[in-house]
Amino acid sequence: MRSRLLLVTTLLAGAISVAGCGNLPSLSQGNPQPTASPGASSGGAAPPAAQPTPAAAQPIQAPANTPAQTIPTAPQTGGAPSTPATGDGAPAIPLPQIQANLAQLESYRITVVSKMNGKTTDGKTIESQMTYTQALHRPSKTGYTLVVENRQGAPSTQSELYNVGDMLYIYQRQDGKELCQPRMMAGMGDMLRGTADAMTDPLTGTAQLVNRGETVNGVLTDRYTLDQETINQFGATVEKADLWVARDGGYPVKYDLTINVTSNATGWAAMLGGGAPVSEGTIVYNWSLEDINKTTITLPSACSGQTVGVDLPLPAGTQVDMMMPNTTMGKVNAGIDSVLTFFKTEYPKLGYELTDEYGDAQNGYILNFKKGADEVMVQFSTMSDGSVQITLTRG
């Protein structure tokens, strides 16, 4: 668990860093406008903090609401009672396979709120909150990701992403305008969809059944509290670790965790503390699953109709790894001399004149082509695995 938000931040940083390629606006930094938080669950659990919602846009929409699917009930072992039970004397049972069960759902929205209150080693107060929202519609391979960070004494930051298949859209609202930066990255869609599953990185160990039949987020659940062996995996003092699991399907519906931090031993504390050495504090983590098999995702109008890449031929067998506005990147298993021959032979057939040529077979080549006002630069060189990496840039 302590690595999950670090994983999410790393993945999103990698995706967002692509925006730095080319002359494109950076992500905005401003104060997000949250709406009301999801309804509180039963069982006395604290509700998650307010969460921002996706932009209300209309043009491209995932398929209509999918009817809730029936998923086999996760097996209950260890003699769990069929009537409500309390934690006193309740049996210990293995944790359900929650990650695999979550992956069976067709669509959903996850909201994760992490709050930290504490002090640095020099006595300064730390107050920070990270809100992570991800909506998924698996049949259409569509997703939405929003990360909002609020830290005392620092501007609020917001990172907002949409993905359709491997198309990634970095979206922002700035000075009353909507801006969208499209990208295509091979495997990006799978990575972002996998991030949601990684938020439920499975723990090993057992849990105590606390109560059966609690309705949370409209789902009938059983509530568990993690036992000490499982809690020890967090590497910190845990005050509270409650998990609500769907009775039908075995997927997590809600997860509340409170950790006391006494040193900067965990990367989680360092991240929420902005990198400052932490002497003491409390981290409250609330995970919530909603809109199960009812989620739809609408791509903002600023993102629709945008094209990426350079629409020009590449050597046969080229694998395109990334496309950005006016840029295409890929690699091909071929000799560099044959790649050079391809461009110098095929592009003139399309009316492009070779105006400049630089480099050699050892260091790679740069070729500049021109057709009227259209200018294209081709760069390619041999990689360590023997393949040739190619970059086309227009303009």
Side-chain angles (χ1 to χ4, degrees):
M1 168 59 68
R2 58 183 174 178
S3 64
R4 288 176 203 161
L5 286 181
L6 291 174
L7 168 65
V8 170
T9 303
T10 301
L11 290 176
L12 288 171
I16 293 167
S17 67
V18 180
C21 301
N23 298 320
L24 295 164
S26 61
L27 287 171
S28 62
Q29 294 193 7
N31 294 318
Q33 301 298 320
T35 61
S37 63
S41 68
S42 59
Q51 69 178 56
T53 57
Q58 296 301 324
I60 299 179
Q61 186 166 345
N65 293 357
T66 306
Q69 67 182 86
T70 301
I71 303 173
T73 303
Q76 301 287 341
T77 60
S82 57
T83 56
T86 64
D88 297 333
I93 67 170
L95 284 173
Q97 300 298 309
I98 55 178
Q99 186 177 27
N101 294 336
L102 180 67
Q104 297 179 53
L105 299 178
E106 290 190 346
S107 66
Y108 53 81
R109 174 167 53 87
I110 291 174
T111 301
V112 181
V113 180
S114 296
K115 300 179 186 178
M116 180 172 181
N117 290 282
K119 291 185 177 180
T120 63
T121 52
D122 58 1
K124 294 181 180 178
T125 300
I126 298 173
E127 291 182 5
S128 68
Q129 176 174 312
M130 176 184 289
T131 302
Y132 172 88
T133 303
Q134 186 166 61
L136 292 180
H137 188 278
R138 294 186 190 275
S140 63
K141 297 184 178 180
T142 305
Y144 170 79
T145 304
L146 174 67
V147 179
V148 179
E149 294 185 76
N150 295 282
R151 185 171 289 114
Q152 186 181 37
S156 173
T157 64
Q158 177 170 314
S159 303
E160 196 165 357
L161 307 173
Y162 289 83
N163 68 282
V164 181
D166 283 339
M167 283 297 301
L168 175 71
Y169 300 89
I170 303 172
Y171 174 78
Q172 58 183 317
R173 285 156 287 186
Q174 192 174 57
D175 299 327
K177 297 181 180 180
E178 292 182 284
L179 301 175
C180 189
Q181 305 170 28
R183 302 284 185 270
M184 192 291 292
M185 296 180 66
M188 174 57 69
D190 290 336
M191 186 193 78
L192 290 174
R193 288 188 294 274
T195 300
D197 295 340
M199 297 298 288
T200 56
D201 189 21
L203 297 167
T204 58
T206 56
Q208 294 288 122
L209 178 64
V210 176
N211 196 21
R212 292 177 65 86
E214 296 186 11
T215 299
V216 179
N217 297 340
V219 178
L220 185 64
T221 71
D222 295 333
R223 178 159 59 103
Y224 302 86
T225 185
L226 305 188
D227 68 4
Q228 192 59 49
E229 178 186 354
T230 305
I231 284 174
N232 288 341
Q233 297 177 69
F234 293 105
T237 304
V238 176
E239 276 190 10
K240 177 181 181 180
D242 290 332
L243 174 67
W244 286 259
V245 178
R247 177 78 66 82
D248 182 13
Y251 53 84
V253 177
K254 188 170 176 61
Y255 185 26
D256 288 341
L257 177 69
T258 302
I259 296 177
N260 291 326
V261 179
T262 56
S263 69
N264 201 30
T266 65
W268 208 356
M271 179 187 65
L272 290 172
V278 178
S279 62
E280 61 181 73
T282 301
I283 297 173
V284 177
Y285 175 96
N286 301 119
W287 186 103
S288 183
L289 183 76
E290 299 179 87
D291 295 339
I292 300 164
N293 290 338
K294 298 178 181 178
T295 301
T296 58
I297 300 168
T298 301
L299 193 66
S301 58
C303 301
S304 63
Q306 294 205 45
T307 59
V308 294
V310 179
D311 186 20
L312 286 171
L314 293 165
T318 299
Q319 172 188 314
V320 176
D321 295 322
M322 182 183 302
M323 291 192 296
M324 299 173 286
N326 299 318
T327 301
T328 296
M329 299 177 65
K331 63 182 178 181
V332 62
N333 292 319
I336 194 169
D337 290 337
S338 67
V339 174
L340 176 65
T341 299
F342 171 85
F343 286 111
K344 294 179 71 173
T345 301
E346 298 301 320
Y347 277 40
K349 294 179 182 178
L350 300 172
Y352 285 89
E353 177 188 358
L354 179 62
T355 58
D356 296 293
E357 177 180 342
Y358 308 95
D360 53 48
Q362 180 177 354
N363 298 299
Y365 290 93
I366 297 178
L367 308 179
N368 289 319
F369 292 93
K370 187 172 183 180
K371 179 181 179 180
D374 188 11
E375 297 182 357
V376 177
M377 180 172 65
V378 182
Q379 304 175 71
F380 53 95
S381 59
T382 303
M383 308 302 291
S384 59
D385 62 0
S387 65
V388 176
Q389 183 169 334
I390 303 170
T391 301
L392 301 186
T393 305
R394 172 170 273 141

